């Protein structure tokens, strides 16, 4: 059977239509709080159960427990603080407030607690560094002085140009059931696929019923592939190289934290909520720069025997000239000189220079898709 | 704000304690309590896995299937 939702029950925080209309008709009566895109996406993920068992933003007990123990205060594994920050207190504990993203009332929140926190402690414990050059740390340092905890109810979806590809946990669970998949391996990505990715995914699929490719769409850095390029590249890969009834593609919106090992656990929890039973943990998963060891995320899973989703640790794939195919360090006996590592950065440079990568690095169909976009990269 | 996680004490037979203490020597576990916590979490997780799966109402399921068909995920 597909995974049980994290914490036991799939959270759904969507208000009934009549209640929604009533709240919206009374919106001027609520204190309003503006939130950024990342928090709006968090809200959506809470409401649709991607972050089950969270029903809202963390209160101080849970926040501190996540920092100190990587668990919610009820002992459920949870590694990334999902918090709402505000610059000043314009409402009180006990109030219901409306959260707005770009003038759209996204959710109602029942404010249980407003509390202060130590940003350096947050950074050190979650990111293992207080270096402001780390993008996750920089984000924490830019946050407001207070955190607001409490349950939420979703009123409106955040505008989504990729709604067609965005499935919610309730949908993927039914999809997997309809396809007869009992074991599903999820793959997290924020890149166009190269042969190394394909090797890892197919190696994992060998052991389960279905492969769930779940690209993260959202805020990107300059030079990253644009979201539509990633989707189209996977579509063409599916069309030509994946078994029709054993793989599916759906996106999730989520703001990367770059918290390495801690975030690898968070990514696994999200996929467990989608129904996946297995999760591929890559090399330097959710890392950035040199802040984490290449396989540090693998070790982190030892701390969570009760995670409820099985990590699959598949080594980085490379092309071996002697083997004549994609292999990994465990199965290839040949020395380094025969190995061609497939680097995303190198591929990007080749593509930017108009050079087609060799077929052992990138499928020609994928390259054609990228080329078909006038501007495939974020500027 | 709570600085420390709340812990409680449970009793286990002394011979079992000694056995565990010996067993965790040279492993990553720094105390018998840590090991017992680890094992209990593992046992509870496997028991929970055996509980029945979540079910959706028929109406809800049909609505979701319709959307999945419309999006091309289901035939």
């Amino acid at each position: 059977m597909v995974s049980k939702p994290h914490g036991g029950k799939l959270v759904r925080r969507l208000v009934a239509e009549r209640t929604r209309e009533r709240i919206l008709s009374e919106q001027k009566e609520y204190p309003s709080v503006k939130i950024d895109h990342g928090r709006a996406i968090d809200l959506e993920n809470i409401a649709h159960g991607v972050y089950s068992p969270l029903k809202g933003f963390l209160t101080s007990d849970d926040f501190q427990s996540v920092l100190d123990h990587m668990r919610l205060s009820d002992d459920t594994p949870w590694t990334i603080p999902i918090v709402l920050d505000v610059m000043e207190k314009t409402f009180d504990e006990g109030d219901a407030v409306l959260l707005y993203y770009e003038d759209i009332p996204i959710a109602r929140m029942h404010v249980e607690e407003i509390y202060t926190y130590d940003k350096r402690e947050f950074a050190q414990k979650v990111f293992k560094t207080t270096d402001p050059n780390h993008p996750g740390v920089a984000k924490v340092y830019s946050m407001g002085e207070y955190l607001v905890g409490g349950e939420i109810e979703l009123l409106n979806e955040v505008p989504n140009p990729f709604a067609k590809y965005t499935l919610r946990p309730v949908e993927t669970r039914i999809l997997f059931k309809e396809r007869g998949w009992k074991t599903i391996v999820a793959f997290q990505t924020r890149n166009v696929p190269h042969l190394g990715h394909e090797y890892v995914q197919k190696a994992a699929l060998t052991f389960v019923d279905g492969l769930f490719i779940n690209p993260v769409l959202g805020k990107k850095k300059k030079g990253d592939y644009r979201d539509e390029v990633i989707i189209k590249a996977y579509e063409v890969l599916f069309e030509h190289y994946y078994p029709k009834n054993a793989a599916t593609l759906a996106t999730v919106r989520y703001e990367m934290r770059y918290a390495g090992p801690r975030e690898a656990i968070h990514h696994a929890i999200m996929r467990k909520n989608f129904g996946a039973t297995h999760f591929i943990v890559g090399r330097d998963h959710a890392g950035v720069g040199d802040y984490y060891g290449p396989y540090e995320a693998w070790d982190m899973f030892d701390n969570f025997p009760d995670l409820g989703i099985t990590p699959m640790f598949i080594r980085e794939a490379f092309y071996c000239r002697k083997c004549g195919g994609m292999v990994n360090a465990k199965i290839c006996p040949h020395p380094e000189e025969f190995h061609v590592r497939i680097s995303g950065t190198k591929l990007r440079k080749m593509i930017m220079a108009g050079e087609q990568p060799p077929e052992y690095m990138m499928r020609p169909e994928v390259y054609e898709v990228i080329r078909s976009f006038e501007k495939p990269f974020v500027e | 704000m709570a600085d420390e996680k709340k812990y409680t004490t449970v009793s286990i037979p002394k011979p079992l304690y000694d056995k565990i203490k010996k067993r965790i020597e040279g492993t990553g576990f720094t105390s018998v309590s840590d090991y017992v916590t680890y094992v209990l979490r593992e046992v509870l997780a496997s028991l929970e896995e055996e509980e029945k799966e979540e079910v959706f109402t028929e109406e809800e399921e049909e609505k979701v299937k319709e959307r999945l068909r419309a999006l091309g995920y289901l035939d």
Side-chain angles (χ1 to χ4, degrees):
Chain A
M1 284 302 120
V2 300
S3 274
K4 272 185 68 174
H6 197 53
K9 196 168 183 290
L10 195 62
V11 167
R12 274 174 284 173
R13 304 288 298 172
L14 315 170
V15 289
E17 189 49 34
R18 281 181 64 181
T19 313
R20 178 179 171 274
E21 280 169 17
R22 184 177 53 74
I23 295 169
L24 292 178
S25 72
E26 296 165 348
Q27 57 178 292
K28 288 200 170 71
E29 295 167 28
Y30 292 94
S32 65
V33 179
K34 293 215 174 228
I35 57 171
D36 64 13
H37 187 258
R39 299 301 69 71
I41 298 300
D42 277 346
L43 266 173
E44 221 175 56
N45 284 337
I46 293 168
H48 287 289
V50 179
Y51 292 167
S52 294
L54 300 195
K55 292 179 180 167
F57 291 104
L58 298 185
T59 53
S60 62
D61 263 5
D62 280 329
F63 173 72
Q64 199 61 43
S65 181
V66 168
L67 290 192
D68 294 341
H69 306 286
M70 297 190 280
R71 289 174 178 272
L72 298 172
S73 52
D74 70 357
D75 207 44
T76 306
W78 198 271
T79 49
I80 297 293
I82 302 297
V83 289
L84 176 65
D85 61 298
V86 290
M87 290 293 176
E88 50 187 342
K89 287 192 209 179
T90 53
F91 47 85
D92 293 314
E93 290 174 357
D95 283 352
V97 299
L98 286 195
L99 305 177
Y100 286 78
Y101 168 66
E102 289 188 343
D103 300 326
I104 306 166
I106 298 290
R108 179 167 72 171
M109 179 179 188
H110 301 273
V111 178
E112 197 179 323
E113 199 182 4
I114 307 169
Y115 55 102
T116 53
Y117 64 112
D118 181 335
K119 291 183 182 181
R120 283 180 66 84
E121 182 194 16
F122 187 148
Q124 183 60 48
K125 287 184 172 165
V126 174
F127 301 101
K128 294 179 71 181
T129 175
T130 53
D131 180 358
N133 293 314
H134 183 296
V137 174
K139 174 83 187 173
V140 169
Y141 289 172
S142 72
M143 283 167 57
E145 295 309 306
Y146 299 96
L147 298 181
V148 188
E151 296 189 0
I152 61 99
E153 299 155 295
L154 196 75
L155 299 171
N156 283 305
E157 302 283 335
V158 184
N160 183 356
F162 304 103
K164 184 185 161 194
Y165 300 95
T166 309
L167 293 189
R168 313 298 188 190
V170 67
E171 293 166 335
T172 51
R173 286 170 171 276
I174 289 171
L175 175 63
F176 298 157
K177 191 174 134 193
E178 282 299 295
R179 291 197 168 182
W181 295 354
K182 290 187 172 135
T183 50
I184 302 106
V185 64
F187 183 79
Q188 137 103 29
T189 185
R190 48 198 162 100
N191 253 312
V192 297
H194 57 56
L195 265 288
H197 298 132
E198 192 178 324
Y199 169 90
V200 166
Q201 293 161 7
K202 287 181 172 173
L205 178 57
T206 310
F207 300 99
V208 294
D209 300 329
L211 170 66
F212 175 47
I213 307 279
N214 195 209
V216 165
L217 303 187
K219 201 173 159 187
K220 293 242 179 333
K221 298 195 297 284
K222 192 180 164 192
D224 284 350
Y225 290 98
R226 282 168 47 208
D227 289 339
E228 49 270 52
V229 180
I230 298 169
I231 293 170
K232 292 287 174 204
Y234 264 106
E235 277 183 346
V236 78
L237 193 69
F238 268 55
E239 191 187 330
H240 294 282
Y241 298 100
Y242 281 66
K244 294 269 176 290
N245 295 317
T248 199
L249 171 73
T251 60
V252 59
R253 292 200 293 176
Y254 168 75
E255 188 179 88
M256 284 292 297
R257 268 70 171 181
Y258 303 100
R262 270 196 186 234
E263 194 164 3
I265 301 293
H266 186 66
H267 288 170
I269 291 170
M270 288 164 67
R271 277 42 184 243
K272 176 186 173 188
N273 284 325
F274 279 110
T277 52
H278 295 70
F279 180 66
I280 297 169
V281 190
R283 184 185 181 278
D284 194 25
H285 194 110
V288 63
D290 296 326
Y291 294 98
Y292 315 105
Y295 293 104
E296 206 178 320
W298 293 16
D299 299 335
M300 182 59 94
F301 281 82
D302 291 345
N303 298 314
F304 300 98
D306 51 339
L307 198 60
I309 181 166
T310 307
M312 289 180 105
F313 304 126
I314 302 175
R315 285 162 194 268
E316 183 191 18
F318 49 82
Y319 181 79
C320 173
R321 289 200 186 94
K322 190 88 171 166
C323 294
M326 295 302 293
V327 289
N328 64 47
K330 193 175 179 191
I331 58 174
C332 176
H334 305 118
E336 193 75 24
E337 68 204 69
F338 291 103
H339 299 168
V340 184
R341 303 208 172 260
I342 306 177
S343 137
T345 312
K346 192 175 163 190
L347 280 172
R348 252 196 304 274
K349 277 185 188 156
M350 291 174 90
I351 292 164
M352 278 173 172
E355 188 186 335
Q356 178 166 356
E359 286 197 26
Y360 59 81
M361 284 193 181
M362 179 173 270
R363 298 287 189 190
E365 293 88 346
V366 170
Y367 175 67
E368 284 307 317
V369 162
I370 299 170
R371 259 172 45 101
S372 72
F373 283 86
E374 199 183 326
K375 291 177 180 170
F377 302 103
V378 175
E379 292 178 345
Chain B
M1 197 181 292
D3 283 336
E4 284 179 19
K5 192 160 176 135
K6 294 176 186 73
Y7 285 90
T8 190
T9 309
V10 292
S11 301
I12 58 171
K14 183 72 170 53
L16 177 61
Y17 178 92
D18 293 337
K19 214 167 154 182
I20 295 170
K21 202 171 174 189
K22 203 167 172 203
R23 184 174 183 82
I24 64 173
E25 275 171 21
T27 70
F29 293 102
T30 52
S31 70
V32 171
S33 293
D34 277 357
Y35 185 77
V36 169
T37 304
Y38 175 87
V39 171
L40 288 179
R41 279 177 176 150
E42 200 159 55
V43 171
L44 280 176
S46 67
L47 288 174
E48 278 168 12
E49 249 176 49
E50 288 166 17
E51 287 168 17
K52 68 174 185 175
E53 61 172 323
E54 181 163 24
V55 283
F56 305 103
T57 64
E58 243 175 66
E59 194 189 346
E60 189 175 30
E61 193 160 335
E62 203 38 58
K63 224 170 142 184
V64 170
K65 280 187 206 166
E66 253 173 54
R67 179 166 190 262
L68 292 171
R69 276 187 213 107
L71 293 177
Y73 282 99
L74 287 178
D75 296 328

